[in-house]
Amino acid sequence: GQSLEQPSEVTAVEGAIVQINCTYQTSGFYGLSWYQQHDGGAPTFLSYNALDGLEETGRFSSFLSRSDSYGYLLLQELQMKDSASYFCAVRNYGQNFVFGPGTRLSVLP
Amino acid sequence: KAGVTQTPRYLIKTRGQQVTLSCSPISGHRSVSWYQQTPGQGLQFLFEYFSETQRNKGNFPGRFSGRQFSNSRSEMNVSTLELGDSALYLCASSLVGQEGNEQFFGPGTRLTVL
């Protein structure tokens, strides 16, 4: 089976940097994705790591280490609008998508 | 380019009834996946369709089924509804050949079973 673990909640203040971790147990997958979901909204794609290392997209960066079965999403210069739930996800070699339980980020003024 | 659309947006049914939800993917996307989202279980994969064929299936009972049409539009059906089927049902489309990165989600159908 496959499972992903994330912290359930993270709180930070505007302008700060926050890291949301994702650890996983899976036999094989193509890469690690991150999605953002605001309350009442649909998940939207943020980033994807096919290979180990850091991927940067504006204020967001994502990291993957297959040897450590670990990845993270880094959000810099936090803004109030970043308050949302963040999900890590993998697409395994059997082609199924598996999502983590989600981390609820609260950004305080 | 229009996004993924789902109809209806809200639905109220009673136990034992059946329901059909519809999803229209982004033009050119041939893969459509369905998910059930609940507060306690998060996003659970139901199934994926590609070129009118079910390519993958999650761990859900046979009451949950789906299909895809030649224009890539997809429907999912839930028969003999149970209270526990109350959830947000999301569909997502993606391009062929992209092995794991980006799925585009629709706004979802909120199903309430009474």
Side-chain angles (χ1 to χ4, degrees):
Chain A
Q2 306 185 339
S3 65
L4 295 91
E5 294 184 4
Q6 304 177 234
S8 57
E9 293 182 16
V10 172
T11 301
V13 296
E14 261 188 309
I17 299 173
V18 71
Q19 179 173 312
I20 299 174
N21 297 325
C22 175
T23 57
Y24 58 84
Q25 293 183 340
T26 178
S27 54
F29 64 98
Y30 291 104
L32 185 70
S33 302
W34 288 92
Y35 288 80
Q36 177 193 61
Q37 185 178 28
H38 287 98
D39 286 346
T44 56
F45 173 81
L46 289 177
S47 69
Y48 174 67
N49 292 72
L51 304 174
D52 284 6
L54 191 68
E55 294 284 340
E56 296 179 79
T57 309
R59 295 188 297 114
F60 297 81
S61 302
S62 58
F63 174 83
L64 174 63
S65 169
R66 288 177 185 265
S67 59
D68 295 321
S69 298
Y70 164 75
Y72 66 72
L73 178 70
L74 190 73
L75 298 87
Q76 303 181 69
E77 301 172 19
L78 279 175
Q79 302 175 8
M80 298 295 289
K81 67 178 182 180
D82 297 329
S83 292
S85 292
Y86 293 84
F87 297 87
C88 58
V90 298
R91 186 176 178 105
N92 62 35
Y93 290 148
Q95 299 290 318
N96 285 8
F97 277 98
V98 180
F99 279 75
T103 297
R104 187 169 186 87
L105 170 64
S106 297
V107 180
L108 305 178
Chain B
K1 184 183 263 192
V4 178
T5 58
Q6 292 186 246
T7 56
R9 293 293 310 279
Y10 302 91
L11 207 49
I12 299 175
K13 293 285 187 178
T14 56
R15 280 182 300 173
Q17 288 187 307
Q18 74 166 19
V19 66
T20 298
L21 312 181
S22 180
C23 171
S24 294
I26 291 173
S27 178
H29 287 195
R30 294 166 65 187
S31 169
V32 174
S33 298
W34 287 90
Y35 297 86
Q36 181 193 67
Q37 186 173 32
T38 58
Q41 297 296 318
L43 270 160
Q44 300 289 315
F45 172 78
L46 280 156
F47 28 64
E48 179 192 14
Y49 285 87
F50 174 74
S51 292
E52 303 178 63
T53 301
Q54 187 180 88
R55 186 157 71 170
N56 291 288
K57 189 176 190 305
N59 189 27
F60 278 81
R63 300 186 296 107
F64 292 81
S65 63
R67 59 177 175 169
Q68 186 179 35
F69 301 95
S70 58
N71 61 358
S72 293
R73 189 176 70 85
S74 177
E75 289 181 348
M76 69 162 280
N77 185 76
V78 188
S79 63
T80 318
L81 283 166
E82 301 177 359
L83 295 178
D85 297 333
S86 294
L88 179 68
Y89 290 88
L90 294 159
C91 85
S93 71
S94 59
L95 287 170
V96 175
Q98 294 196 348
E99 297 299 350
N101 50 354
E102 188 166 10
Q103 288 191 301
F104 296 83
F105 283 83
T109 295
R110 173 76 61 184
L111 172 64
T112 302
V113 182
L114 303 176

